[in-house]
Amino acid sequence: MTWDINLAIAGGLLIGASAVFLLWFNGRIAGVCGITNGIMDKEVKDKGWRIFFLFGLLMGPVIYLALSSKPMPALPDTSLWLVGASGFMVGAGTRLANGCTSGHGVCGLSRFSIRSLVSVVIFMLTGGISVFIVRHGFGG
Amino acid sequence: MAKNMIALLSGALFGLGLTVAGMTDPVKVQNFLDILGNWDPALMFVLGSAVVATTLGYRWILGKEAPLLDDQFFMPIQRVVDWRLISGSAIFGIGWGLYGFCPGPALANLSLGRYDAFVFCALMMSGSMLARQFDLRFSLYMRSRELRIRVQTSAH
């Protein structure tokens, strides 16, 4: 448990370093959905750095796997319909809210944005309700 | 090219941080949201330490004229809490709780070949593009209605 917390703090610091690095050098906010949406939207011209960021993000788990002996988490036994519905809602919701856990959570809270604070409170709340229903709601 | 290398490094730090913290495991993320069940506070520590580090870094950086490799900072300009922010955040939260994936971890998991990540990301991108279309059309409709009302009232 304590080891878990230490790893959580270490991971959070790495994420913070990533956000600081991107703003310091490139002047950009490290929001994962903002960056990916920019790759898909045709009016956004600067796709290069976005693709590189995404590629780096994908390399993260591979680097970790190469350095540690810890096994990767097991796949939960969940219906793919539910996974798809979840993905669809995450995509639509983050587009409307213009940010997700990284954009509003990490970067937004760090610059004391009211919009981000409102967003984080709402998605934590609805996320909690959603998990409650999935795990305990139907007589589970 | 230098900017691309920085983005690559930043992305890799991000992905590594998520993995080290165990945040690429959707079950662990759901355990955090499950406050009435077997609660796991890990995500709180991840977000907390990330925010502390970023707040300190941002304060220092934003006191400067410009970033090192560009002539301006690209900061979000929206200030208003509107229906998009509220409904979008609510929908995102529901989706997040359903499976425990948010965009970063879902994308990071693609490199491990997890099929749940592929299904999730495909639907996430479709959801994003559909919401964008809906938002564009809805805004256009509201704008045209507003103009029509204005024309009607000024005709009197």
Side-chain angles (χ1 to χ4, degrees):
Chain A
M1 194 65 181
T2 13
W3 178 233
D4 246 29
I5 301 284
N6 289 340
L7 284 177
I9 292 171
L13 291 177
L14 283 171
I15 294 169
S18 151
V20 168
F21 219 59
L22 199 62
L23 188 76
W24 185 21
F25 282 86
N26 291 9
R28 295 284 177 174
I29 295 286
V32 173
C33 23
I35 292 172
T36 13
N37 283 340
I39 296 174
M40 296 190 289
D41 300 348
K42 54 177 182 293
E43 77 276 6
V44 176
K45 299 289 174 242
D46 56 334
K47 297 204 189 299
W49 72 273
R50 296 169 188 274
I51 293 167
F52 275 91
F53 181 91
L54 210 62
F55 190 70
L57 178 66
L58 264 88
M59 273 168 39
V62 180
I63 299 169
Y64 185 73
L65 207 63
L67 297 178
S68 90
S69 52
K70 234 178 150 184
M72 280 291 124
L75 271 165
D77 179 30
T78 312
S79 126
L80 278 182
W81 288 104
L82 191 98
V83 177
S86 163
F88 188 84
M89 291 175 85
V90 167
T94 52
R95 166 71 78 167
L96 288 175
N98 212 7
C100 53
T101 335
S102 52
H104 279 313
V106 178
C107 299
L109 293 183
S110 298
R111 33 177 217 100
F112 307 106
S113 154
I114 299 293
R115 273 175 56 87
S116 295
L117 182 64
V118 170
S119 178
V120 172
V121 169
I122 294 175
F123 71 63
M124 290 278 179
L125 217 73
T126 55
I129 295 169
S130 172
V131 167
F132 180 80
I133 292 170
V134 168
R135 287 197 172 170
H136 317 284
F138 307 107
Chain B
M1 205 55 207
K3 276 198 255 185
N4 289 345
M5 286 303 117
I6 294 294
L8 182 73
L9 194 66
S10 172
L13 279 172
F14 202 106
L16 193 63
L18 284 175
T19 321
V20 167
M23 293 295 107
T24 44
D25 180 4
V27 177
K28 198 168 168 63
V29 173
Q30 275 189 323
N31 286 345
F32 164 74
L33 291 168
D34 192 8
I35 43 170
L36 296 174
N38 187 18
W39 191 56
D40 179 347
L43 193 142
M44 197 174 72
F45 287 92
V46 179
L47 190 60
S49 58
V51 167
V52 169
T54 310
T55 303
L56 295 175
Y58 272 21
R59 275 188 88 109
W60 171 66
I61 295 160
L62 292 172
K64 298 174 185 300
E65 290 268 295
L68 293 176
L69 300 175
D70 211 305
D71 47 20
Q72 58 164 316
F73 291 108
F74 300 86
M75 306 307 276
I77 42 169
Q78 284 167 282
R79 290 283 174 277
V80 191
V81 175
D82 58 0
W83 68 268
R84 284 182 194 82
L85 183 79
I86 294 171
S87 58
S89 304
I91 295 167
F92 163 45
I94 297 168
W96 188 34
L98 274 186
Y99 192 58
F101 265 163
C102 58
L107 289 163
N109 266 311
L110 287 176
S111 61
L112 299 178
R114 278 179 65 141
Y115 66 84
D116 57 344
F118 279 92
V119 173
F120 186 94
C121 289
L123 268 296
M124 179 173 82
M125 288 172 187
S126 326
S128 169
M129 290 321 267
L130 255 150
R132 177 178 135 94
Q133 282 307 317
F134 166 79
D135 187 19
L136 287 175
R137 273 163 212 209
F138 187 71
S139 305
L140 208 65
Y141 166 75
M142 291 307 276
R143 183 89 191 109
S144 70
R145 210 179 67 157
E146 191 186 309
L147 285 175
R148 235 184 348 253
I149 292 168
R150 219 180 278 169
V151 167
Q152 277 167 2
T153 44
S154 63
H156 288 295

